[in-house]
Amino acid sequence: MAHASDADFSTWHSHWSFEPWVVCLLAVSATLYAAGVVKLWRHAGHGRGITRAQAAAFAAGWLFLVVALVSPVDALGGQLFSAHMVQHETLMLLAAPMLVLGRPLAAWAWALPMTWRRGVGAFFHSRGWRVPWRIVTGALAAWLLHAAALWLWHLPALFEAALANEAIHTFQHLTFLFTALLFWWSVLGATTRRDRGIALVSLFTTFVHTGALGALLTLARTDWYPSYAATAPAFHLTPLQDQQIGGLIMWIPAGAIYLVSGLFLAARWMAPATRRRAYSAAASRRPGLLAEAVRHADPHAPRRSE
């Protein structure tokens, strides 16, 4: 993960960050996911257990990780605060929800040998794992952890420390990604009407407090992060202008993702009972619907007499 002094301003677009441990983790995660999905589909049938849409979601999340951690966005983030915001929002608002939707834990488990898979399954079903996991993925805990990571890391002292020290910088990115995964797990994993209502509140309040932080950055009269004073002018920006662009990125596009996600969740929260009633009514009016579907799936099935 490049810092400001590591890249030539005129050639930032050519600076791909091939940190060995990052590339290794990305490669292993993709390989295990692909192997697990192939093995699962051979066992259960194509598209079962993990659907094609879920596999596509994981692929999208993985590509967003590459954009954030390997592409020139990483190097540019050491030179421009606004680019750093793009990197952080890509991790938290694009990669994290797509990875959650992709069900990677199931795929990775299927990639393991049977004996290992049983051991892993036993561990994840043990009380020692389930209790703390339920706590940290609960709506309140996930919301608090994600909000704390976001606000604390944007305090000038901590943000400057991350820019100055590679280990702290790495820890910053890990906490952003991990807490975002917990947050989206709690939101997207909601299955009951009550849990979806709680998830909707979680999304709305996150939309509000992240927008507030973005507004503070945008409307500030002074720049908060002195490190960018030496690098932003190379891009014909003052440090304050750079900060204002970064604040707008957090305020408007990031807020739009929370808003759209909230609207989608609200539609699911309000609609299921209505859809079930409508489907039941339609099925009762067309008793031959299932038989007709079977006939299309099996050309040798007898036709229903009209």
Side-chain angles (χ1 to χ4, degrees), residues 24-185:
C24 181
L25 288 176
L26 287 170
V28 169
S29 64
T31 301
L32 287 178
Y33 188 91
V37 169
V38 168
K39 188 182 292 187
L40 174 59
W41 285 355
R42 284 177 179 170
H43 177 81
H46 190 78
R48 295 188 175 183
I50 293 176
T51 66
R52 281 173 286 189
Q54 288 170 331
F58 178 84
W62 187 88
L63 288 174
F64 283 131
L65 287 180
V66 172
V67 170
L69 302 175
V70 179
S71 83
V73 169
D74 182 48
L76 189 59
Q79 304 168 35
L80 287 173
F81 174 78
S82 52
H84 217 155
M85 287 304 96
V86 170
Q87 183 183 37
H88 293 170
E89 300 305 325
T90 299
L91 286 172
M92 294 185 288
L93 290 177
L94 296 176
M98 290 294 103
L99 291 173
V100 169
L101 288 173
R103 298 189 61 208
L105 296 181
W108 293 336
W110 270 92
L112 300 175
M114 178 61 74
T115 53
W116 292 16
R117 197 188 316 160
R118 287 174 179 166
V120 170
F123 171 74
F124 284 125
H125 283 86
S126 67
R127 182 175 176 82
W129 169 264
R130 286 188 295 115
V131 171
W133 179 250
R134 285 178 180 175
I135 292 173
V136 298
T137 57
L140 180 59
W143 187 94
L144 287 172
L145 288 170
H146 187 46
L150 193 70
W151 282 85
L152 288 175
W153 278 118
H154 283 90
L155 293 175
L158 290 181
F159 201 96
E160 285 288 305
L163 290 174
N165 185 286
E166 187 64 25
I168 298 175
H169 192 203
T170 299
F171 182 64
Q172 179 193 55
H173 286 177
L174 288 174
T175 53
F176 278 148
L177 180 59
F178 178 69
T179 60
L181 287 169
L182 293 179
F183 172 78
W184 287 107
W185 186 290

